[in-house]
Amino acid sequence: MAATNGGGPALFSEEELLDVSGVRRGENFVEVTCGCTSHRYGDAVGRLRVYASGDLEVSCECTPGCREDKLTPSAFEKHSGRETAGKWRNTVWVMVQGEKVPLSKTALLKYYSQLHKSANGSHKGRNGRLSHRDEFVHCTQCGKERRFRLRSKEECRIYHDVLAKPNWTCADLTTDRVTCGDEEERASRKVLRGCSRSTSCTGCVKCVCFGCEICRFTDCCCQTCVDFYHNSKE
């Protein structure tokens, strides 16, 4: 089995990945061969990447020309043509000693599970509410970065919709009277993003959220929101 690149700590022990096929270790991720079986189309094979953050990404290799990359396991399950989609923890598998073993029966979901526990409880600021740091978005017209506060569900929705708009400009702002002619925030000011742990934090478990009921929306049809609410019911 390959050693961890970059000399960082291993995400999984040798025992946890024993006999798992296609293991490749990176500095902050582990990658393995995965797949999902459709009775009609057969096996769709891919590469599952497990990050220390808890994020899961699948690069599909179902056909030589497939360009589906960075899929969530749920999206990969749908892409495979699985007839009873909706239980990716049990339908997406890895090969262990030549046998297909569901992800739910491996150690590969331990960081994913910790991430969702964090989103449901420990990811809170001083006031006990779920905490999200401020984010910045570039205006496609003037090129300046504009700050978005994410303290409430309404603010999170504004930011969420902005990310979905590829040609967003300052003129699209409805809550702040900011125009392309206004100065961009100074770099010294940008480092202050509202983390409850440290004012100059560059991202930690206290201020970086990977999905919760404040920043995900039941009436949004984007893949991120659909996957979040679909997975939370499983």
Side-chain angles (χ1 to χ4, degrees), residues 137-168:
V137 177
H138 274 100
C139 170
T140 58
Q141 184 169 324
C142 67
K144 297 172 184 174
E145 283 190 326
R146 300 306 185 192
R147 180 187 295 265
F148 286 82
R149 288 172 52 86
L150 307 178
R151 303 296 186 272
S152 66
K153 192 170 183 69
E154 293 74 21
E155 290 176 338
C156 286
R157 184 55 186 260
I158 291 171
Y159 174 68
H160 184 78
D161 291 344
V162 164
L163 291 182
K165 188 171 184 177
N167 298 315
W168 180 85

Side-chain angles (χ1 to χ4, degrees), residues 168-225:
W168 180 85
T169 68
C170 295
D172 295 319
L173 278 172
T174 58
T175 54
D176 295 317
R177 295 180 179 178
V178 178
T179 69
C180 288
D182 292 321
E183 292 294 324
E184 186 175 357
E185 283 190 32
R186 298 189 304 273
S188 59
R189 172 70 180 166
K190 284 183 179 180
V191 299
L192 307 177
R193 300 177 67 171
C195 178
S196 62
R197 183 185 66 85
S198 172
T199 56
S200 59
C201 177
T202 57
C204 71
V205 295
K206 290 294 185 181
C207 65
V208 177
C209 180
F210 295 97
C212 69
E213 293 186 355
I214 293 178
C215 63
R216 300 291 181 260
F217 309 94
T218 56
D219 63 340
C220 178
C221 60
C222 79
Q223 193 66 54
T224 300
C225 289

Side-chain angles (χ1 to χ4, degrees), residues 50-61:
V50 181
Y51 289 93
S53 64
D55 287 336
L56 304 173
E57 288 183 357
V58 179
S59 297
C60 187
E61 300 175 349

Side-chain angles (χ1 to χ4, degrees), residues 2-189:
T4 304
N5 296 336
L11 300 183
F12 298 94
S13 67
E14 296 289 328
E15 291 74 20
E16 288 174 322
L17 296 179
L18 185 65
D19 296 322
V20 176
S21 296
V23 174
R24 184 171 76 89
R25 295 178 185 265
E27 186 173 355
N28 66 338
F29 69 87
V30 166
E31 192 175 276
V32 300
T33 300
C34 70
C36 189
T37 303
S38 162
H39 294 299
R40 181 177 180 182
Y41 301 107
D43 293 345
V45 179
R47 297 288 296 172
L48 171 67
R49 183 168 289 194
V50 181
Y51 289 93
S53 64
D55 287 336
L56 304 173
E57 288 183 357
V58 179
S59 297
C60 187
E61 300 175 349
C62 61
T63 63
C66 183
R67 297 185 177 182
E68 293 294 337
D69 193 17
K70 296 184 178 180
L71 296 172
T72 64
S74 177
F76 174 63
E77 179 192 49
K78 294 174 186 175
H79 176 69
S80 74
R82 174 83 185 186
E83 292 79 5
T84 55
K87 297 290 183 181
W88 62 265
R89 292 174 179 81
N90 295 316
T91 59
V92 176
W93 43 260
V94 296
M95 298 297 294
V96 181
Q97 291 185 324
E99 299 290 332
K100 297 174 183 176
V101 177
L103 285 177
S104 61
K105 295 185 178 181
T106 72
L108 293 168
L109 295 183
K110 69 177 183 179
Y111 294 102
Y112 177 86
S113 299
Q114 291 171 9
L115 167 65
H116 281 259
K117 287 180 181 179
S118 174
N120 290 329
S122 63
H123 182 71
K124 297 182 180 180
R126 293 190 183 95
N127 59 5
R129 298 181 63 186
L130 291 172
S131 175
H132 301 79
R133 67 176 182 170
D134 297 348
E135 299 290 352
F136 290 87
V137 177
H138 274 100
C139 170
T140 58
Q141 184 169 324
C142 67
K144 297 172 184 174
E145 283 190 326
R146 300 306 185 192
R147 180 187 295 265
F148 286 82
R149 288 172 52 86
L150 307 178
R151 303 296 186 272
S152 66
K153 192 170 183 69
E154 293 74 21
E155 290 176 338
C156 286
R157 184 55 186 260
I158 291 171
Y159 174 68
H160 184 78
D161 291 344
V162 164
L163 291 182
K165 188 171 184 177
N167 298 315
W168 180 85
T169 68
C170 295
D172 295 319
L173 278 172
T174 58
T175 54
D176 295 317
R177 295 180 179 178
V178 178
T179 69
C180 288
D182 292 321
E183 292 294 324
E184 186 175 357
E185 283 190 32
R186 298 189 304 273
S188 59
R189 172 70 180 166

